Amino acid sequence: MRRNELLNSATFADLLADTHRSAVHLEMRDVYAVGDEADDFETFLRTGTPNLNPGRSFWPQWMPLVKDAVARGVVMRRARIVSEPVTDYIRYEHAITPLNLQAGEDVRWLPRRHASDIPLPGNDFWLLDGRVVQFHHFTGTGDWAADGKERTDDPAAAALCAAAFEAVWERGIPHEKYTVQAP
């Protein structure tokens, strides 16, 4: 099996288990509509209260992955570029971010107007150890596209993603200091 076939047949958990130094995630959409969040998001819209139970939704699968990686010394950072005033989805995402922090991620927010001069890839991504990129493909409404994930170890793609992430991270506001402003 060729390297790309191996790369694409592995699960994200496998890739993260093989990560030794860093895992960074850049999110650039204002709306996501992925199924595993739908119920919690709908409840948040009705009540204004986030569900911070780590036993719900996708958290029981996600939190152990992050905690294991962090325990092995992997630095996990997540940056989000957002339009202001923020969408209802971003308000929800901000409200549940304490679970990301509890798992061991560090999270920053960058208002989109401060990202205008940063060369960005066309899609959200994970970059693992500065060498493996997993791009995320979404539909216009924010759900996973049919080909929802694309992986590469192309050095040029990894370098673009690393430079973009670091520029966003440098300008980003730490989660505990970022206040969402509803419309």
Side-chain angles (χ1 to χ4, degrees):
M1 205 180 289
R2 294 182 350 194
R3 170 80 176 134
N4 257 2
E5 290 170 354
L6 286 171
L7 189 63
N8 286 312
S9 67
T11 66
F12 185 79
D14 293 336
L15 293 176
L16 190 56
D18 193 39
T19 299
H20 305 287
R21 295 180 317 280
S22 68
V24 301
H25 186 38
L26 183 60
E27 298 175 13
M28 299 180 281
R29 296 184 55 89
D30 287 320
V31 175
Y32 294 88
V34 292
D36 55 1
E37 297 177 328
D39 291 341
D40 285 345
F41 180 50
E42 182 60 37
T43 300
F44 176 79
L45 288 176
R46 273 195 332 274
T47 67
T49 303
N51 185 340
L52 296 177
N53 175 356
R56 296 246 324 146
S57 192
F58 55 89
W59 296 106
Q61 293 80 35
W62 182 246
M63 291 184 86
L65 292 177
V66 175
K67 287 180 178 186
D68 178 65
V70 171
R72 289 184 286 113
V74 176
V75 175
M76 293 195 67
R77 298 181 293 161
R78 181 183 299 256
R80 295 173 171 144
I81 299 174
V82 296
S83 299
E84 292 180 316
V86 301
T87 62
D88 287 339
Y89 182 85
I90 295 300
R91 282 190 318 104
Y92 161 74
E93 195 171 52
H94 187 270
I96 65 169
T97 295
L99 291 169
N100 295 92
L101 302 174
Q102 182 182 332
E105 293 182 60
D106 194 2
V107 179
R108 292 190 182 178
W109 302 81
L110 182 65
R112 192 171 308 282
R113 69 182 177 276
H114 298 301
S116 296
D117 62 343
I118 299 174
L120 298 166
N123 297 289
D124 291 9
F125 64 84
W126 275 97
L127 176 61
L128 306 173
D129 281 342
R131 61 181 178 76
V132 173
V133 180
Q134 177 173 287
F135 290 108
H136 292 177
H137 301 288
F138 296 95
T139 65
T141 59
D143 203 352
W144 289 108
D147 62 343
K149 296 176 178 111
E150 172 190 359
R151 295 179 182 151
T152 183
D153 58 1
D154 175 64
L160 170 66
C161 291
F165 184 87
E166 292 306 326
V168 170
W169 188 257
E170 181 179 309
R171 294 180 190 182
I173 301 164
H175 175 74
E176 53 279 354
K177 293 181 179 177
Y178 183 71
T179 305
V180 296
Q181 299 174 6

